[in-house]
Amino acid sequence: MVKIERVRKAFNATRALSLPDEEVKLVLKRLLKLFDYNWEPIEAEDYRALIEAYFELKEDKAKDDGENAVVEHDESSRLPKQLPLQGPEDRAGESSRLPKQLPLQDPEDLAGEYSRLPKQLRLQDLEDQAGESSRLPKRLCLQDPEDQASSTKRSPSQVLSPKENKKPISSLQQGVTLMNNKDSSSSGCSNSCKKIQQQPVTCDKKSSFQIISDITKGTENVKISLVDATGKNKLPKFTYMRDNVIYQDAYVHISLARVADEDCCSRCSGDCLSVPIPCACAQETSGEFAYTAEGQLREEFLNACMSMKLKPQEHHFVYCLDCPLERSKNDYKPEKCKGHLVRKFIKECWRKCGCKMQCGNRVVQRGITCKLQVFWTREGKGWGVKTLRDLPKGTFVCEYVGEIVTNTELYERNSKGSGDERHTYPVTLDADWGSEKILKDEEALCLDATLCGNVARFINHRCFDANLIDIPVEVETPDRHYYHLALFTTREVKASEELTWDYGIDFNDHEHPIKAFKCSCGSKFCRDRNVRVRL
């Protein structure tokens, strides 16, 4: 019934403009596929995207037929290209003057068609859809990511200014140039793109939607789209990577010889979770696997991780004799270690294990399976990430991926320059620093997703009550100087809800190489707000 009602409202908006239901129905179906059946961008601004898409489709068809008319169904229903969107009251007035014999059965039929479509529909490249009936408006056509020439910047809450600038490190610009992007270079556009830029078809003077169908460039199991409903923001500049990559000096030694026989399950076969007695890989989590048969975290394990992070006790911290963080700030006379939180680890099966890749203890290494979307937030937080499907508690969402750098490299790359660069907040891999008295610089590692990273770089910070939690995961090596940082849901998360996680920022630390941003998380437990109140 909810789908039927939404379809009815969409038709009412287009009927007010005398648009035929059958043609609108076709455009609406294609837009729903593009947005992965998320109605929010379609309903925004009184169905502006739907109305724009309809007129652009009609213009494309008219051009192909060699005609000048934009809309052909009736002389009295022809509308100018620069049609301003009408307000709800105006449309309601026009609706009352329309014929009463409107085909009301269409919404039910359309909703029925939606319910029969496969759930795992893949977003298709718009230029590859065959036939006039399947063509989407050219304004939504995507260029190849390498063709983008527009300059970009990160969002305020996800990116931070260093105390001093650094010389930028070369990277491949990820993203696409949209037809309506004023910042794009004409040399990077195709001929059709240039033609549309010269003769835009809009319903008002506002910029059109900016859409990237897949920011991962096919590297993930699922496509991750990016949508900017305002059409006014510069697209992010970074290289998308599925896996962490060493920048330069970081020491990450991965070899089968380092995995002892007693630390793997070489005699297992099939699914380790299906056997009555847990294998050797479950030793890290007290003899029980961290995952359920459904691929989610066991509630007891998740609650213990949340309690340790949100309400840590003194015995949960370890202190280095020679702290790498303090040493990177002042190698001559470093200050005392301020403490590192000891974390619970998950140990997954790996290549030396005898189980299959679909084993229930191989969740993080199989990659992203959730339907995610990067979007521009309305709360002043810049880019954010939301889920397009309901996520149960304990669901693996994604791994935080970036360049593996040493603390010294991080400090140096952010302490040089003019101070104009924007940065993601780095993640320190210090969950097991207490196991050794002194760490060499190449063993004290961080993840920096400023230039290279995955979708997690867009996930916004939220103090204390975020709906995601980061948990260390051991996969390739027992050496815990390096591990994977996986993000799991802390509760049930509804479709279209923004995903957030607590970066663990100390807003009192004014010596951090990356300046802490002014927090806009909106949580009543906001640590930055409490700091400002005390000041």
Side-chain angles (χ1 to χ4, degrees):
M1 292 302 296
V2 175
K3 290 182 180 179
I4 295 176
E5 183 61 26
R6 283 183 145 168
V7 173
R8 284 185 185 277
K9 290 181 179 180
F11 278 168
N12 287 339
T14 55
R15 286 168 182 166
L17 302 176
S18 301
L19 307 184
D21 288 353
E22 284 302 319
E23 297 181 10
V24 171
K25 175 180 176 181
L26 173 66
V27 177
L28 181 58
K29 287 174 65 176
R30 299 300 172 182
L31 284 180
L32 282 168
K33 285 185 179 181
L34 175 64
F35 291 116
D36 199 33
Y37 296 91
N38 180 13
W39 279 85
E40 286 187 4
I42 298 176
E43 296 171 335
E45 300 186 54
D46 297 327
Y47 300 90
R48 179 164 67 92
L50 176 61
I51 296 170
E52 280 191 357
Y54 170 82
F55 281 106
E56 290 176 9
L57 180 62
K58 295 299 292 182
E59 178 176 284
D60 294 341
K61 184 176 181 181
K63 287 181 179 179
D64 292 339
D65 294 340
E67 299 178 5
N68 295 324
V70 176
V71 181
E72 306 173 34
H73 55 275
D74 187 71
E75 282 290 332
S76 61
S77 65
R78 289 186 182 180
L79 294 173
K81 295 180 181 180
Q82 302 293 336
L83 176 71
L85 285 179
Q86 296 172 315
E89 297 178 357
D90 297 334
R91 290 205 312 272
E94 292 196 21
S95 301
S96 63
R97 295 193 295 271
L98 291 174
K100 296 182 179 180
Q101 291 82 12
L102 288 172
L104 295 180
Q105 70 273 15
D106 278 348
E108 288 83 352
D109 296 340
L110 183 57
E113 291 188 30
Y114 298 150
S115 63
R116 293 192 294 272
L117 288 170
K119 293 183 179 180
Q120 300 298 329
L121 275 172
R122 296 173 176 263
L123 292 175
Q124 298 177 348
D125 289 335
L126 306 184
E127 296 176 340
D128 293 339
Q129 297 191 32
E132 288 183 348
S133 62
S134 65
R135 290 219 318 268
L136 281 170
K138 290 183 179 180
R139 185 186 301 275
L140 301 182
C141 289
L142 304 177
Q143 286 184 294
D144 200 69
E146 284 76 5
D147 292 338
Q148 182 175 356
S150 59
S151 58
T152 54
K153 64 180 181 179
R154 293 300 316 284
S155 63
S157 67
Q158 293 173 310
V159 295
L160 310 148
S161 299
K163 293 181 176 179
E164 296 182 23
N165 197 350
K166 66 177 180 62
K167 184 177 181 180
I169 298 175
S170 60
S171 66
L172 174 65
Q173 181 166 332
Q174 161 67 30
V176 298
T177 301
L178 279 298
M179 307 309 163
N180 203 35
N181 191 340
K182 298 180 181 179
D183 295 327
S184 64
S185 169
S186 59
S187 62
C189 294
S190 63
N191 293 332
S192 60
C193 171
K194 294 176 182 177
K195 189 172 182 180
I196 295 177
Q197 284 180 319
Q198 294 168 0
Q199 296 180 343
V201 180
T202 59
C203 290
D204 57 14
K205 296 182 180 180
K206 296 181 179 179
S207 301
S208 181
F209 279 60
Q210 297 191 80
I211 301 172
I212 301 176
S213 63
D214 184 16
I215 64 171
T216 77
K217 300 166 65 176
T219 59
E220 299 285 4
N221 300 322
V222 295
K223 292 186 177 183
I224 300 176
S225 58
L226 179 146
V227 175
D228 174 15
T230 67
K232 301 177 182 179
N233 304 290
K234 294 180 180 179
L235 301 176
K237 179 180 179 181
F238 76 107
T239 299
Y240 195 98
M241 300 190 312
R242 174 172 174 166
D243 303 301
N244 297 318
V245 174
I246 297 173
Y247 168 64
Q248 186 169 312
D249 294 335
Y251 177 77
V252 179
H253 189 186
I254 298 174
S255 68
L256 292 177
R258 302 193 69 199
V259 181
D261 292 339
E262 59 269 19
D263 293 331
C264 65
C265 56
S266 56
R267 297 183 179 180
C268 287
S269 62
D271 185 358
C272 293
L273 268 64
S274 63
V275 298
I277 301 177
C279 66
C281 295
Q283 293 177 1
E284 181 59 41
T285 48
S286 302
E288 293 186 35
F289 288 108
Y291 303 119
T292 65
E294 292 75 26
Q296 296 148 12
L297 287 180
R298 287 190 301 106
E299 186 151 1
E300 299 84 357
F301 179 81
L302 175 59
N303 291 339
C305 293
M306 292 173 59
S307 176
M308 183 174 289
K309 179 168 183 177
L310 300 178
K311 299 178 181 179
Q313 305 298 317
E314 181 60 31
H315 65 274
H316 291 151
F317 289 90
V318 295
Y319 297 86
C320 307
L321 294 179
D322 185 11
C323 182
L325 291 180
E326 301 302 328
R327 194 169 63 232
S328 64
K329 300 175 185 177
N330 187 343
D331 191 25
Y332 175 70
K333 191 177 181 180
E335 296 184 5
K336 291 184 179 181
C337 177
K338 295 180 175 62
H340 305 279
L341 182 64
V342 178
R343 307 289 297 277
K344 285 183 173 293
F345 273 74
I346 298 173
K347 185 184 185 306
E348 291 195 351
C349 299
W350 193 49
R351 296 177 187 175
K352 203 170 182 179
C353 299
C355 55
K356 60 184 180 180
M357 190 60 189
Q358 289 71 35
C359 170
N361 195 40
R362 296 174 182 258
V363 174
V364 174
Q365 62 191 272
R366 288 202 298 263
I368 299 173
T369 58
C370 301
K371 298 291 292 183
L372 307 176
Q373 185 177 83
V374 179
F375 72 107
W376 188 262
T377 65
R378 297 183 179 181
E379 300 84 7
K381 297 184 295 184
W383 296 105
V385 178
K386 62 183 174 183
T387 173
L388 301 178
R389 297 283 187 269
D390 292 347
L391 300 178
K393 182 178 180 180
T395 300
F396 168 64
V397 174
C398 65
E399 177 184 349
Y400 187 91
V401 171
E403 292 180 276
I404 308 173
V405 298
T406 67
N407 276 276
T408 300
E409 288 174 335
L410 177 68
Y411 189 83
E412 289 178 351
R413 68 160 49 180
N414 295 325
S415 61
K416 298 177 181 179
S418 61
D420 294 332
E421 287 83 6
R422 310 292 287 175
H423 294 261
T424 61
Y425 206 86
V427 173
T428 304
L429 302 180
D430 61 348
D432 197 45
W433 280 8
S435 62
E436 298 186 35
K437 294 182 179 180
I438 298 178
L439 282 174
K440 298 177 181 179
D441 178 64
E442 62 269 20
E443 297 173 332
L445 308 179
C446 301
L447 295 177
D448 183 10
T450 301
L451 301 175
C452 305
N454 69 343
V455 65
R457 74 194 297 276
F458 295 108
I459 299 178
N460 277 313
H461 164 80
R462 185 176 177 87
C463 296
F464 193 78
D465 58 357
N467 52 25
L468 299 179
I469 185 173
D470 53 301
I471 298 179
V473 179
E474 174 189 327
V475 181
E476 308 95 335
T477 174
D479 184 354
R480 291 187 176 174
H481 301 148
Y482 169 73
Y483 52 83
H484 298 265
L485 196 70
L487 300 175
F488 295 85
T489 55
T490 60
R491 57 174 173 80
E492 182 181 359
V493 182
K494 296 295 184 181
S496 295
E497 183 177 348
E498 182 180 3
L499 300 171
T500 58
W501 66 293
D502 192 334
Y503 296 175
I505 299 173
D506 181 2
F507 290 96
N508 288 312
D509 186 2
H510 302 293
E511 296 182 358
H512 196 282
I514 302 292
K515 288 183 179 179
F517 49 78
K518 182 179 180 181
C519 188
S520 303
C521 70
S523 171
K524 63 180 180 180
F525 306 104
C526 179
R527 296 190 295 274
D528 187 30
R529 182 178 63 181
N530 295 334
V531 169
R532 293 198 300 267
V533 169
R534 289 198 300 270
L535 294 177

